[in-house]
Amino acid sequence: MRIIDAEPQVIADLQDEGRVLAEQRYPSFTIITVLHPTLGKLVLVQDRNGGGAMVETGD
């Protein structure tokens, strides 16, 4: 499992390229799960400014 910092454009691109499985919003951040065609299962953590982190689950 790897955690990688992600700029707003990267998070948006990953959502567009993959299939969003679930999204949960919280006051300070949003968690998005994505099934990406080449990267596999991803968890995106997005802050209010659009940036955040990408977690490759390795499954």
Side-chain angles (χ1 to χ4, degrees), residues 2-33:
R2 295 185 326 158
I3 300 173
I4 302 165
D5 289 337
E7 298 292 324
Q9 188 60 50
V10 172
I11 291 177
D13 289 346
L14 290 169
Q15 289 182 68
D16 290 342
E17 294 168 1
R19 181 170 54 111
V20 174
L21 302 174
E23 183 173 328
Q24 181 68 45
R25 295 182 185 271
Y26 295 92
S28 300
F29 60 93
T30 301
I31 298 174
I32 306 152
T33 57

Side-chain angles (χ1 to χ4, degrees), residues 28-50:
S28 300
F29 60 93
T30 301
I31 298 174
I32 306 152
T33 57
V34 175
L35 184 56
H36 191 273
T38 56
L39 298 173
K41 296 176 186 174
L42 302 174
V43 177
L44 306 175
V45 181
Q46 186 175 39
D47 64 20
R48 288 189 223 170
N49 297 323

